[in-house]
Amino acid sequence: MPEKTYDHNEIELKWHERWAAEPALYQAEENSSKPKYYVLEMLPYPSGALHIGHIRNYSIGDALARYMWMRGYNVLHPMGWDAFGLPAENAAIQNKRPPREWTLSNIEKMKRTHRRFAFSYDWDREVTTCEPDYYRWNQWFFLRMLEKGLAYRKQALVNWCNLCATVLANEQVVDGCCWRHESTPVEQRALDQWFLRTTAYADELLQDIGLLEGTWPDRVLTMQRNWIGKSEGAEVDFQIEGYGPVRVFTTRIDTIYGATCMILAPGHDLVSTLGDEAKAAAKRMIDAAAQQGPGDVEKEGFDTGLKAVNPFSGERVPVWVGNFVLMGYGTGAIMAVPAHDQRDFEFCRKYGIRILPVIRPADGEIPNVDAMQEASGEYGIVENSGPYSGMTSEKARAEMAAFAEQQGFGKTAVTFRIKDWGVSRQRYWGTPIPVIHCEKCGVVPVPDDQLPVVLPRQIQITGKGRSPLDEVPEFVNVDCPRCGGPARRETDTMDTFVDSSWYFYRYCDAKNSNAPFDKAKIDYWFPIDQYIGGVEHAILHLIYSRFWTKMMRDIGLITNAEPVRKLFTQGMVLANGMKMSKSKGNVVDAIGVAESHGADTARLFALFAAPPERDMDWTETGVEGIHRFLGRVYRFATRNIGMPGGDGSADTKILRKLHQVLRRITQDFDQRWHFNTSIAAMMELVNEAYLEEQNLSAAAMQQTIEILTFLLAPFAPYLAQELWEEQGKTGAVFKQPWPAFNEEMARETEVEIPVQVNGKIRSRLTVAAGLDKAGLEQAALADEKVQALIAGKTVVKVIAVPDKLLNIVVK
RNA sequence: GCCCGGGUGGCGAAAUCGGCAGACGCAACGGACUUAAAAUCCGUUAUCCGGCAACGGGUGUGCGGGUUCAAUUCCCGCCCCGGGCACCA
């Protein structure tokens, strides 16, 4: 055949059209005898356009999906839209476009891009989280959790901007101020809000990290462990004169004789019983804490004038309020042991509170208070501690906790850093929380048969008020389902992390209108075999998803304990060395690259520029290099298909290379996922094929072209399919069996062995592959250069590694 | 401060189990083709020293030590860059 020029648009648009007419191409089989494989990429937020960061994520998943098809698996590869969220509301305020309309048109546009890139999604299973057929199940789950006590309501602080007169999401708070009013500090207001009891699963979420070891990245597991933050210690009551007991949590009950004051969080219940001045000071601390970013903050506090009694020593100590004591952790109150805790030390030094050391190192003296520069947090021997003096810290911890429990003023206790999940959002564009507030009956769940509670579509979003839904009387005013009297609908909507906590289950049964999904389908497809996404979701999304799975298991919907067997976190994409961002204006749009260089080129480059777990740099010249490579492949194949061929003198050589490359790429898929080296290997093969083009027999040439087509199939689907057709074949190339490599054919017959003398390379020998140690040694010692170098010296040792190297040690 | 990554040519990177450092690509340079250019094809390209040259010798994977016949790879101590967490009692 005559050589053809590589015109990516011609090839890609042709197949794009043909594939559009084949809806079953990427569908998973319903009753398959093949083993299943569920590969999933994180669903995108429909912001309006796919960028190359998305393309990288999907190119990894798509290569894997296609490879697994070729390996004979029944592959489930779905995609959907994380379609609720704040940007749609902002767009509504700015362009007066309804959020749903804006969102759906974005989805339409992005889906076209997805198709242009030929990602192999089963669009029949598409999930769009902002549509009632999806979010009704959010509501259904919420009601189940309400029944089980896993959903509950309590007061919590929200960010409030006085100028906007509205609640701000955390991401709308910039440097402690409102994003639209940069000089207006955000205030903290207490509102009744809905929470999911993730803490009920804290222990199991921590325990089951063990199940993920080896298949999830270690750093993700570490981050989750830290996030859950289990800490074991004790709770102890201190009696406060004129108030009652206040409970503290401590991991160091062994230091309790050194407690020289008690410090309360500014939000602690006791503070509300204090005078106006103290309450105002505490409020200032709370607002200041919300405004400060991360970093070192000066410790502040004030004396309440109250005294607390240490239940162990009987000593009376002052009660303070301190800005560094967190209400959301432990009991919101601590005993300060300045001698043995750095934070307490800094606080007490600043305010002149007594410092009393009670621990000495096992082999040292108790610290001298006047010389102390910092607290000593180490375990040691307990001193000045009544009957516990002389014990090790470990022993004292156990005995003191037991004593407290026996006396009824304390107990051993475990505290978690992870908090219950606040799911209330004072927003429009989210799942309505399905409850009704009745004056007579209180909080009444919406009955299941009245789901979904549909989000009203005709609504003015003003950006003011407690919540946009508050302004919609048709939505708010309802009859109480229990007593029939007038009642108000809940106007908070759910956090969008709810949507993404279970969407991958819905893919298995996306059109079910009677249940979130059918259990048998979950049993077949779950767990997800491979989940691929950005590391930025290592904590929240993936912990919530794990929580949701355990919750669904406990209400009998599923049997698996974990949703995801293997997790892969890919690196970021930089544009010319810089992080892509809208503000810098350097976001590389995916569809533009597809038009200028082709989808195949973009996909291949996304995998070639760096190993997938690392950050990669997107450069125009690099993209062009890949485009050149694909052109080389295409021209080579088209001009050689069906040609008579040469004398075959290079057949052995090219077939050896072919099998070496095949082995390399197969291993890259099965073990390492370093697709950059897979692609480099294909380039090596093509380079060699160019050099030997005239010396290949027709049979070797056709085999080279065919296998190269298979190798390209997971990475460059358009070109691979086109070459498949050029070779006169029919059917989808990615449904053909992946070729097996032949170890025999991949083996080199001759190898070059570097010969070292005292570790420096002095000569090279070409020997038969597999030559043993003795043979190598003999060949090396016969070498002229080697002989010259070792002449007159004593050979101490000869290290021979067959097929690798030989080292002669002389003196 | 704590916990992870990472540091290799002009650049992105490779070296999979301790065995030839720099595969592959980019950029640059040279050659072929062309009236010319683009495209394409073929080469050269870590660095220093000696040589007209073939070639020979030295140095080199952030820095300093160590183990080893042999270290980008293992161990100890530092430096720098990126990310996460950040008063969690």
Side-chain angles (χ1 to χ4, degrees), chain A residues 420-475:
Chain A
D420 282 339
W421 176 10
V423 292
S424 276
R425 293 292 180 273
Q426 293 73 34
R427 293 288 150 204
Y428 164 69
W429 195 231
T431 304
I433 292 176
V435 299
I436 287 165
H437 300 278
C438 171
E439 283 207 9
K440 265 195 261 171
C441 313
V443 172
V444 182
V446 172
D448 279 359
D449 59 13
Q450 290 174 27
L451 296 183
V453 176
V454 177
L455 211 49
R457 286 198 193 161
Q458 300 306 321
I459 171 174
Q460 271 295 315
I461 297 178
T462 58
K464 289 201 184 293
R466 185 193 183 275
S467 151
L469 287 172
D470 266 341
E471 318 290 317
V472 187
E474 318 82 272
F475 180 80

Side-chain angles (χ1 to χ4, degrees), chain A residues 42 82 123 275 362 367 376 565 785:
Chain A
M42 289 182 182
D82 189 15
W123 286 109
S376 75
R565 213 195 52 186
K785 287 185 215 156

